[in-house]
Amino acid sequence: MPGQNSLLLAGDIGGTKTNLAVFTHSGGRPEPLWVQSYPSREFPHLEAVMEVFMAACPEAAQAASACFGVAGPVVNRHCDATNLPWEISAQALKQRFGWACTRLINDLTATAHAIPLLRADELFTLNEGRPVENGTLALLAPGTGLGQGLLIFIGGRYVPLASEGGHVDFAPTDETQIELLRFLQGRFGHVSIERVLSGPGLVNIYEWLVATSRTPADIPSGDNQQPRGLG
């Protein structure tokens, strides 16, 4: 961990965009000093993005440590990004840019670390419930893919667990959803839940509606609820 009053460089590496930032760190919640976003697919690798960012942000060269949340499984400090043709190595980044400490973590693990630090005005309740003190927390992040994660309370604090749960099978629950599954099987073969619940998933559902001459009014909604798996 960096010392007090140091600068941190952090990145969120996704299939659509790469967000990079420099944060000040003084023992509490890190605060952003410089933030920039880049379209991931316009660059051949993360190092190319970093070079552009560091040229634009002089403070980035002063960062002692860097951590990157990557959309994909991280094994032995290395990640082949799931929805991006990048191979990312913590060791290669450290050698290239000279940070004293360089970490790669799953992007949902990175997001999960932030949940206990959220302020009240950064929360919005979708459905009222009765929270359980120190209970397990679930994290869902539909985007280019479907990120999933857990936080388990251990030893007086929440510990994030990485997950690639977006790649589990899409499990239809009625005839309409079974028809959607068959349509997607013809296009992709294996149909994971993120083929439905994600940004590209919305496109897949729309194309299925067009291909089958359906309109949203043709889809049964039960008791004023959207069909599970199609929301």
Side-chain angles (χ1 to χ4, degrees), residues 4 25 29 38 41 45 50 57 63 86 124-125 129 135-136 150 162 167 183 185-186 192 200 209 216 225 231:
Q4 297 289 321
H25 178 75
R29 168 171 157 165
Y38 302 92
R41 294 188 178 273
H45 42 66
M50 285 304 311
C57 175
W86 289 1
F124 183 84
T125 301
T136 299
L150 290 173
H167 300 293
F183 175 82
Q185 281 178 328
S192 64
L209 292 173
Q225 294 182 357

Side-chain angles (χ1 to χ4, degrees), residues 176 179-180 183 205-215 218-219:
T176 302
E179 290 182 32
L180 172 60
F183 175 82
I205 293 173
Y206 173 78
E207 292 178 344
W208 167 68
L209 292 173
V210 171
T212 56
S213 300
R214 281 182 167 85
T215 67
D218 295 326
I219 300 177

Side-chain angles (χ1 to χ4, degrees), residues 2 7-9 20-21 62 77 82 113 131-132 152 173 182 222 225:
L7 296 180
L8 307 173
L9 193 150
L20 298 172
Q62 303 173 27
R77 306 185 69 208
T82 302
H113 274 294
V132 177
I152 298 177
T173 59
R182 289 175 178 150
Q225 294 182 357

Side-chain angles (χ1 to χ4, degrees), residues 22-84:
V22 173
F23 290 82
T24 59
H25 178 75
S26 57
R29 168 171 157 165
E31 296 296 334
L33 182 65
W34 187 291
V35 180
Q36 188 59 263
S37 182
Y38 302 92
S40 300
R41 294 188 178 273
E42 292 186 8
F43 295 85
H45 42 66
L46 178 57
E47 287 85 347
V49 187
M50 285 304 311
E51 290 174 353
V52 174
F53 177 72
M54 296 185 75
C57 175
E59 291 85 355
Q62 303 173 27
S65 303
C67 183
F68 299 92
V70 186
V74 178
V75 180
N76 296 327
R77 306 185 69 208
H78 179 275
C79 179
D80 293 324
T82 302
N83 293 307
L84 194 64

Side-chain angles (χ1 to χ4, degrees), residues 97-157:
F97 298 103
W99 299 305
C101 178
T102 306
R103 295 281 182 88
L104 290 186
I105 60 177
N106 176 264
D107 60 336
L108 264 292
T109 299
T111 304
H113 274 294
I115 289 178
L117 303 177
L118 292 174
R119 303 183 181 104
D121 62 355
E122 295 171 325
L123 301 174
F124 183 84
T125 301
L126 293 175
N127 295 290
E128 293 288 346
R130 292 185 295 176
V132 177
E133 185 177 3
N134 302 332
T136 299
L137 305 179
L139 175 62
L140 297 175
T144 306
L146 176 62
Q148 299 184 24
L150 290 173
L151 292 99
I152 298 177
F153 197 80
I154 301 175
R157 66 186 183 94

Side-chain angles (χ1 to χ4, degrees), residues 190-213:
H190 173 250
V191 181
S192 64
I193 185 60
E194 75 173 19
R195 295 292 191 189
V196 176
L197 186 56
S198 64
L202 295 177
V203 176
N204 291 336
I205 293 173
Y206 173 78
E207 292 178 344
W208 167 68
L209 292 173
V210 171
T212 56
S213 300

